[in-house]
Amino acid sequence: MSFAPLFDFMARGGPALWVIGALSVLTLALFLWRLIGLAQVGVWRRPQSETWLDQWRAGGAVPIAPGRTPLDRVTRSAMMALLTPEFSPETAEKETTRIAKAELAALRHGLRPLELIAAIAPLVGLLGTVLGMIGAFQALQESGSGADPSVLAGGIWEALLTTAAGMAVAIPASALASWIEGLAEREQARMEDAATRVFTAAAARPAQPQAAQ
């Protein structure tokens, strides 16, 4: 397989196109990395929190297993915090919030680089276009009255390559960042709901057993 056409295409766009090419590779790597990371934290697994909440309201013990999803882990930690003798209700709530923030931070990991790529890729493309246009008009000026319009047109479309390439990288990066943020917001809403249900049901529990050993 020959990469000569690809290198020729990249050379037409100048240094800016090489930078955009590197950003596209980085975007793809971030995408694959976050897919693996989200799968590892269990964001797509079926949560057990509803079953645990039913048991909690009935006075059952805290489940032994830490849970397979972020929602499970926050739900269980809220139960554990309420059953910790050293914790007041306010302290238990703060501990639950701390763990929820840690889970959300893990979900949002890698979001900033994607947002940065989405912001700078079009700017790099625009910079490449401006530099290319400057070169094209300089060539037109040097050619004087015998300038060939086709040469100028060729220089312009080559300069515009970087703008198109920058947008082609920025759009997927922005979409990926929005998707990850959407997942995090969904999990945050579910965590808040589950934690609230744990705390409001605590007063109505018929018993207060310690965590299962």
Side-chain angles (χ1 to χ4, degrees), residues 21-95:
L23 291 175
S24 68
V25 174
L26 180 59
T27 301
L28 179 59
L30 286 170
F31 173 68
L32 296 176
W33 173 56
R34 290 313 301 140
L35 277 182
I36 296 172
L38 291 171
Q40 287 177 338
V41 299
V43 72
W44 293 299
R45 294 175 183 171
R46 185 175 180 178
Q48 302 170 288
S49 57
E50 284 298 326
T51 302
W52 292 354
L53 285 168
D54 291 339
Q55 295 172 352
W56 174 257
R57 283 190 292 267
V62 177
I64 299 174
R68 301 176 296 180
T69 69
L71 178 60
D72 290 344
R73 291 188 285 272
V74 171
T75 302
R76 181 179 182 273
S77 61
M79 297 174 181
M80 291 288 294
L82 279 171
L83 296 182
T84 301
E86 295 82 6
F87 287 174
S88 65
E90 293 76 15
T91 306
E93 185 176 352
K94 290 180 180 179
E95 177 66 11

Side-chain angles (χ1 to χ4, degrees), residues 145-185:
S145 58
D148 185 357
S150 64
V151 175
L152 177 61
I156 291 175
W157 79 259
E158 289 179 4
L160 290 173
L161 280 176
T162 57
T163 296
M167 292 180 179
V169 172
I171 291 172
S174 179
L176 181 57
S178 297
W179 175 63
I180 293 175
E181 183 61 33
L183 283 177
E185 289 178 355

